[in-house]
Structure formats: structure tokens, C-alpha cells
Amino acid sequence: MLARGSTIGILGGGQLGRMMAMSAVQLGYRCIGFAPEGDNVAAAVCDAFHTAAWDDSDGVRAFADACDVVTWEFENVPVETARTVPAEKIHPGPLALETAQDRLTEKRFIEGLGGRPAAYARIDSGHDLESAVDRLGAPGILKTRRDGYDGKGQWRIASSRDAQALKLPDVPLIYEGFVEFDAEFSVILVRAQDGEIRFWDSTRNVHEGGILAAAHYPAGSAVEGQVADARVLARKVADALNYVGVLTLEFFATHEGPIFNEMAPRVHNSGHWTIEGAATSQFENHIRAIAGLPLGDTRTVAPGIEMRNIIGREIDGAYAFLASSNSHLHDYGKAEASEGRKMGHITRLSLDTRG
């Protein structure tokens, strides 16, 4: 168990790190961050912040030496950076990053545990793409195997003609067949150092332009009938990785059951509602897990919840959301409100079933 006043290090400087640090401070810990130069909004709630390149091994070691435990706030922290931190200090372990950072590796890992991803094909050439479209059909999505996020690094392929016309980027790619689905949902869990696992309720997730727009609870019958099977897979993933902390798996709800979409080895945007809507938020439980503290209750505390992201210039009018007394605003403090950038979120609790 991490002693009161100990220091937690966070790799990454974004809003997820900011909200983790806020929970850590509430529990009596200090936080320091590490990230390259940028709009590192987590720095505002950290005791110190180390600004250096991810491949600055001396800088990473100095950061790790100042910490009692280290975690990360997004899945594109380089694996070698995480491995520079002593293994006994970092939770979750770097294997989770390595698995999630390559979509091909991730899908094969899921299949090995009995999960079902969308039909896919490895793409190394234009010929590979044309063959994949012939075999898996179109429409489909061509994705970079690494680094894609919020719809970036993705191309919709509507026909074999699109495949033939596209100039492929010189990076590893994967083609995913189209999935007919009724809804999208997340399974978010927290796993303690002793292997205990707790789940939050699943929300129905709504995406716009490849970005999560909103998460709704209750999720509706299309999702609720598939959560149990999805949780079985999520538990297998967490145990196989000997995972410690909050882990998220995203799914499509289909007439054939849950189809795995992708994994995020971290706290997740679709779980932001847990700050006000659950007995213990995903951020607090992540800190509890990596610190070796008892896990908190994950039950939902309101009959109806909506979490909505505030994108780009919407942040200028965000205070208007507070006209509803059951709304809670989270402004991430980002300096530039560029198009498609997540600037904050609003969570609205319905305190009765009519809400």
C-alpha cells in the first residue's frame, strides 16, 4: 500500500492525467507529470512537471526516480519509455501498451482469448488492400495500425474503386470490414493488484465524425443484453495482461452478439460520467488500484445520466449548460479551441426516471 504523501508519476499531460491527478491529490498523494512540450493541462494540478522528449531516457529515469509509482494517461506513450521505468514501479505494465498500440497485434490477442473482432486483413501494399476488399467486402475502414485516435489515420473505403485510387501512406495498415451494429458501448473495469475486478455500468456511446460525442445511461436493450458476454472477454484481457488499474474495451452490439472494436489501457472518455454518476469514479479507482488501496464501489448512483463532450469553440458557451441544476461542467483548461479538439465535458444527472 502506497503511504500517504507518496508521489505518483503520470506519463502524459492531457485531460485524463489532469483528472487522475485531481483524484490522487484527494487521496493524499503528490503527483508529478512527464510529457514533451505542449499544452500539458495536467501540469496545473501536479506538484511538478517534467518536460522532455519521450526518448530522453535520462529524463525519464530522473522522473521515475522521483516517483513511488508511475502510470500513464494515454495509450500512445512509447513502450520503450514505459520500459525505462523500473518494472516494479509502473502500473499497468508495458505489455498492455505494446498490445494496444498495434491494431493487428490487438485483434490477434483478442481472438486468442475467444473474442470476436470485426473481420480484418493486414495491409502492406495496394494489392493487399484490393484483395481485402474483394474478400471482406465494402464498405470498410482502412486504418493505420498505430497512432490513430479520434478518427485520425482512417479512410472509409466504399468500393473496390476507392481501394484502387487510394495512395497508401508508408506505414503499416489494417483493413476492417463493415460491422452492422445496433449500438456502440464500452466495458470499463478496474483491476486491483491482488486480481480483484470491478465493473462500471456500460453506456451507449454516440460518435460523430469519429469522435465520441455522448455517452448515455441506461444504455438500452440493444446494449444491456450483451454486456455480460463482453465482460467475460474484458476479464480475460485484464487477467492475461496481469493488469492493474482501469481498462476499457469498446464493442459493437450486433444481432450476433458483442463484436470487439478496440482496447484502451487507461481511463476512458466514455467513463467520464463516473465522476458524478458512480459511487467511485474511474479516476479515483485507477489511483486506488495502482496505490494498492482497496477498490471503491462502482455502482451507478442516478437512474439517468448523459455525458456530452464539449468540442472546439463550444467551450465558449459552456457555462450555459449550468442553467440545468443537475449538470456538472468539466473545463480541461486547454488554451486553443481548435476544430475537433475535446475542450471539456458536461455530465447531466437525471435524479428520477422521468429526467
Side-chain angles (χ1 to χ4, degrees):
M1 183 181 297
L2 201 61
R4 176 175 176 269
S6 296
T7 298
I8 295 173
I10 300 173
L11 293 168
Q15 66 263 23
L16 302 181
R18 179 187 176 102
M19 288 183 274
M20 282 198 291
M22 292 167 72
S23 287
V25 169
Q26 175 187 325
L27 291 171
Y29 296 120
R30 299 176 65 252
C31 279
I32 61 175
F34 182 102
E37 190 73 38
D39 190 6
N40 290 312
V41 296
V45 291
C46 288
D47 287 88
F49 203 91
H50 295 225
T51 303
W54 290 124
D55 60 0
D56 182 349
S57 55
D58 290 338
V60 175
R61 289 189 189 97
F63 162 76
D65 287 346
C67 302
D68 296 292
V69 68
V70 174
T71 190
W72 60 74
E73 61 110 27
F74 79 126
E75 65 268 47
N76 288 330
V77 172
V79 173
E80 289 308 310
T81 300
R83 287 195 171 133
T84 303
V85 179
E88 68 276 8
K89 274 192 176 183
I90 190 163
H91 296 303
L95 179 59
L97 281 180
E98 187 174 23
T99 302
Q101 283 181 359
D102 186 313
R103 287 187 168 92
L104 182 62
T105 299
E106 179 185 74
K107 290 178 187 300
R108 289 173 173 172
F109 171 69
I110 291 296
E111 286 179 320
L113 295 174
R116 292 185 298 164
Y120 66 92
R122 174 177 176 162
I123 305 298
D124 295 316
S125 67
H127 175 72
D128 288 346
L129 179 57
E130 292 175 33
S131 297
V133 172
D134 287 342
R135 180 165 56 88
L136 302 180
I141 303 292
L142 180 68
K143 299 179 179 180
T144 57
R145 282 171 49 182
R146 292 180 173 272
D147 297 332
Y149 184 70
D150 280 349
K152 299 179 178 67
Q154 300 185 15
W155 300 265
R156 183 177 175 87
I157 306 297
S159 65
S160 57
R161 181 176 297 178
D162 283 353
Q164 293 167 2
L166 183 65
K167 180 176 172 56
L168 299 184
D170 189 23
V171 294
L173 301 163
I174 189 169
Y175 180 74
E176 297 179 5
F178 181 73
V179 176
E180 292 189 10
F181 61 90
D182 298 315
E184 297 176 80
F185 69 99
S186 301
V187 169
I188 306 178
L189 64 81
V190 60
R191 187 176 186 271
Q193 294 179 27
D194 64 1
E196 180 189 0
I197 290 176
R198 296 188 181 190
F199 293 93
W200 284 270
D201 283 323
S202 288
T203 56
R204 176 172 54 86
N205 301 333
V206 178
H207 291 81
E208 297 174 2
I211 301 173
L212 181 70
H216 300 275
Y217 174 83
S221 59
V223 169
E224 290 165 357
Q226 302 195 13
V227 169
D229 286 345
R231 284 184 176 184
V232 169
L233 177 61
R235 183 181 292 273
K236 288 179 180 178
V237 169
D239 288 340
L241 295 172
N242 194 25
Y243 197 91
V244 175
V246 170
L247 172 68
T248 307
L249 273 69
E250 295 181 79
F251 292 89
F252 300 111
T254 78
H255 69 280
E256 297 177 344
I259 300 296
F260 170 82
N261 181 23
E262 61 185 23
M263 178 177 88
R266 55 171 171 82
V267 291
H268 196 260
N269 191 179
S270 64
H272 289 356
W273 64 270
T274 63
I275 298 173
E276 290 86 22
T280 311
S281 77
Q282 62 169 348
F283 301 100
E284 180 176 337
N285 256 342
H286 185 79
I287 298 301
R288 288 189 185 210
I290 67 172
L293 300 176
L295 297 180
D297 192 336
T298 55
R299 79 183 71 184
T300 303
V301 299
I305 301 169
E306 179 190 40
M307 187 286 301
R308 183 165 293 276
N309 279 324
I310 300 170
I311 307 295
R313 301 307 319 182
E314 291 175 353
I315 193 66
D316 295 340
Y319 289 143
F321 289 114
L322 298 180
S324 170
S325 61
N326 294 334
S327 294
H328 302 269
L329 172 64
H330 297 261
D331 185 329
Y332 302 152
K334 295 180 180 180
E336 183 181 351
S338 55
E339 183 179 354
R341 193 179 194 200
K342 296 173 183 173
M343 300 299 294
H345 72 267
I346 193 84
T347 301
R348 179 173 178 266
L349 304 183
S350 298
L351 301 181
D352 60 56
T353 55
R354 297 169 297 174

